């Protein structure tokens, strides 16, 4: 793991963006974190860091795209992990993966999106059901996927998660080689306010994704949502001075917004296709 | 309180200017103003007083020796010393001395947005000051500021050795120009210049034997040729996509890297190949096949990061470092350099003895 300032690379950005990102956004957030609260923000490009964090915090669910066992070919070229550390103890983790999808709905159904080798890596009997149209606009592109975010209970409520997400977004947008078209997040009911996309992503919020449904599990208990937005939208939302404001929310959509979306989508019986 | 008369002041002023307080004898002064020496003795002892015109004569005499304060002292007028004559004399003497050799003092500077910022407390500390950054924020702040702000850092040491840090391709033109101007201003004091360039995750070294060479390099970076500013793209490809004859070179490499260059020669590939040599953090181009139609004077024997085509040179450097780290690579290069459009595949193979063989081949379009 290396200090955030060592990982930040704005060498390919315009002069104006360098000033804005380096001098305003990153400066303010790091000062807030490391100056006032003594929390170091570190960066790793190794997916195993997520596993190490999860080993310290077993209560954190390990999302398959960030699990080495499910992603044996993950490399430093397609992985960014932000770690918050206080007095040598890792207290927060947030990851991003760069994944190439043929069609995100098909890759979800086949579960290639989650497991590089579905037949050997996925639990026996697990299926992923995707309603028609969900994410169908995301095809043949690289997707920046966020996930495996978790903060110790005692550290919540101080914008730590929000700041980690902002710093992660900046690395996603500026790191050479991270060329992607869509930013995506899979939100579970239990994890809906931790990490997500801006409300602008709700426009692409086509429907609920139900996946990892094991025999005997209830569909209602296993609902996940796919939130996505174009890179341009994500960039305009992320690279702006206000993002350094402590009050700026990034944990969209909120529970209420998810509920509203669910109510709209589930007002009529969903048409689900079960993966073969 | 004792009342000081004109006679007292006259006597004191004369005593101060005569033997034994100075080397001036009474006879000398008396002779110069046409008086008898005994008269001067009487004036000094307060036994008599001179006429006003004699005091004036005395004033002129002392003034001719560079002392303009005699009259003022006699009349009790406070004056600031007139050092004009003294200054002129000193300047005259100094003018005869040889010019002292200027010595470059220990200097640390940042060049940001075209401005020169003294950084006496160190480059890292100055970054904290400029950004208002907390002392808790860790990392290599000098490297970060070069990479993320396009700034240029400079350190000059006693003896004229100058070190410059900047990003290989992301340095701001205004900052490069400001640094270049500083070098030009102090070029007489500079003995050597070393540039430490950030490129990807490595730091490359470019040494210059004098300031002029470094100035030229910074000029090229600050004002790249228009053609060179067109984006160059380097895509890493799978080695499986190499043509069959490259496969033979790769096989030789896996068995004996030292035999890679002889094997390429036997296969008739050296006409289009080049050999790069990695010395520490510097990469030089020591061989360029005769069939490669680039500006040979800009390439042969030169550090790849000191080329006129600085961005193309940076891509060569980055690929060479990748080869050192991970072995043979195949890349596709598109863009423009040396006044020609580029679109070719390039295989780079370690060839032992810190050498890398680069073999460009025509793009095969399916």
């Amino acid at each position: 793991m290396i200090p955030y300032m060592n990982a930040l690379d704005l060498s390919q950005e315009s002069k104006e963006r360098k000033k804005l990102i380096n001098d305003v956004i990153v400066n303010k957030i790091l000062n807030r974190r490391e100056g006032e609260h003594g929390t170091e923000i570190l960066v790793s490009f190794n997916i195993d860091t997520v596993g190490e964090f999860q080993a310290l915090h077993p209560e954190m669910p390990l999302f398959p795209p960030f699990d080495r066992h499910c992603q044996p070919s993950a490399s430093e070229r397609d992985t960014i992990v932000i770690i918050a550390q206080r007095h040598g103890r890792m207290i927060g983790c947030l990851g991003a993966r760069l994944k190439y999808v043929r069609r995100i709905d098909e890759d979800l159904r086949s579960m290639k999106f989650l497991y590089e080798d579905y037949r050997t890596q996925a639990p026996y009997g697990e299926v992923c059901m995707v309603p028609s149209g969900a994410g169908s606009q995301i095809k043949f592109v690289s997707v920046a996927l966020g996930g495996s975010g978790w903060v110790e209970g005692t550290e919540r409520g101080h914008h730590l998660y929000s700041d980690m997400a902002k710093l992660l977004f900046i690395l996603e947008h500026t790191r050479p080689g991270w060329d992607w078209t869509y930013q995506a997040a899979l939100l579970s009911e239990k994890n809906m306010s931790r990490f997500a996309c801006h409300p602008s992503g709700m426009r692409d919020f086509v429907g609920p994704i139900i996946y990892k449904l094991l025999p005997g599990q209830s569909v209602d208990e296993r609902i996940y949502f796919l939130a996505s937005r174009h890179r341009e939208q994500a960039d305009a939302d992320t690279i702006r001075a206000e993002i350094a404001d402590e009050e700026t929310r990034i944990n969209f959509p909120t529970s209420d917004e998810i509920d509203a979306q669910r109510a709209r989508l589930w007002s009529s019986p969903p048409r689900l296709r079960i993966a073969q | 309180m004792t009342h000081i008369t004109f006679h007292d002041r006259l006597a004191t002023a004369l005593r101060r200017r005569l033997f034994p307080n100075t080397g001036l004898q009474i006879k000398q002064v008396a002779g110069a103003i046409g008086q008898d020496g005994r008269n001067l003795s009487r004036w000094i002892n307060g036994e008599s007083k001179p006429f006003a015109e004699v005091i004036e004569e005395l004033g002129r005499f002392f003034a001719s020796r560079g002392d303009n304060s005699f009259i003022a002292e006699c009349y009790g007028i406070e004056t600031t010393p007139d050092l004009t004559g003294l200054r002129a004399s000193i300047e005259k003497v100094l003018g005869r001395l040889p010019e002292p050799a200027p010595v470059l003092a220990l200097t640390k500077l940042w060049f940001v947005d075209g401005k020169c910022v003294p950084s006496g407390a160190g480059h890292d500390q100055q970054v904290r000051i400029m950004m208002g950054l907390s002392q808790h924020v860790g990392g290599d702040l000098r490297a970060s500021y070069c990479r993320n702000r396009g700034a240029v850092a400079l350190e000059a040491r006693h003896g004229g050795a100058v070190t410059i840090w900047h990003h290989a391709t992301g340095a701001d033109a205004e900052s490069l120009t400001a640094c270049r101007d500083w070098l030009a201003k102090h070029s007489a004091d500079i003995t050597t210049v070393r540039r430490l360039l950030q490129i990807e995750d490595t730091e490359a070294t470019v040494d210059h034997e004098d300031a002029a060479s470094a100035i030229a390099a910074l000029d090229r970076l600050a004002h790249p040729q228009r053609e060179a500013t067109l984006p160059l793209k380097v895509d890493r490809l799978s080695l499986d996509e190499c043509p069959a004859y490259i496969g033979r070179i790769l096989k030789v490499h896996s068995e004996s890297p030292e035999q890679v260059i002889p094997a390429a020669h036997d296969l008739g590939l050296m006409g289009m190949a080049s050999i790069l040599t990695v010395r520490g953090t510097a990469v030089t181009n020591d061989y360029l096949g005769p069939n490669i139609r680039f500006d040979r004077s800009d390439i042969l024997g030169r550090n790849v990061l000191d080329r006129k085509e600085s961005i193309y040179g940076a891509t060569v450097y980055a690929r060479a470092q990748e080869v050192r780290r991970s072995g043979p690579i195949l890349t596709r290069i598109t863009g423009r350099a040396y006044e020609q459009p580029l679109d070719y595949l390039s295989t780079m193979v370690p060839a032992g003895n810190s050498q890398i063989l680069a073999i460009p081949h025509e793009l095969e379009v399916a």
Side-chain angles (χ1 to χ4, degrees), chain B residues 11 24 33-34 39 47 92 97 99 160 169-170 199 219-220 288 301 309 331 354:
Chain B
L24 194 60
I33 62 173
N39 286 343
E47 295 167 9
K92 196 173 173 183
L97 294 174
E99 282 285 327
T169 57
I199 179 163
D219 266 340
R220 287 196 297 272
L288 188 66
E309 290 281 3
T331 50
S354 302

Side-chain angles (χ1 to χ4, degrees), chain A residues 124-182:
Chain A
Y124 178 75
E126 187 176 69
V127 293
C128 185
M129 295 177 288
V130 181
S132 176
S136 60
Q137 79 282 19
I138 305 177
K139 57 184 85 173
F140 299 106
V141 290
S142 290
V143 172
L145 175 73
S148 272
W150 201 84
V151 167
E152 274 188 4
T154 54
E155 301 287 345
R156 294 172 192 166
H158 304 290
H159 302 280
L160 175 58
Y161 206 98
S162 163
D163 283 348
M164 289 170 66
K166 290 167 185 172
L167 292 170
L168 177 67
F169 285 165
I170 287 168
L171 291 186
E172 283 183 44
H173 282 272
T174 56
R175 189 152 181 84
W178 266 65
D179 296 323
W180 46 274
T181 307
Y182 279 94

Side-chain angles (χ1 to χ4, degrees), chain A residues 3-11 15 18-19 22-23 26-27 30-31 34-36 38 40 76-77 175, chain B residues 113 131-134 136-141 144-145 147-150 167 169-172 174 201 236 322:
Chain A
Y4 187 86
M5 292 300 276
N6 285 12
L8 184 66
D9 187 349
L10 306 176
S11 59
K15 189 172 179 178
K18 281 178 181 168
K19 279 186 182 177
N22 187 71
D23 292 2
V26 170
N27 182 13
L30 283 186
N31 271 346
E34 308 206 29
E36 296 173 15
E40 287 178 86
E76 63 177 17
R77 295 173 186 275
R175 189 152 181 84
Chain B
D113 297 336
M131 289 182 67
L133 209 54
S134 159
H136 298 274
V137 176
D140 184 347
L141 296 183
S144 170
Y145 210 60
R147 183 174 63 247
N148 299 322
R149 269 303 254 112
H167 191 272
T169 57
D172 171 43
E174 283 182 314
D201 294 330
R236 179 99 177 253
E322 183 65 24

Side-chain angles (χ1 to χ4, degrees), chain A residues 30 47 146 226 237:
Chain A
L30 283 186
I47 197 172
L226 172 67
D237 185 49

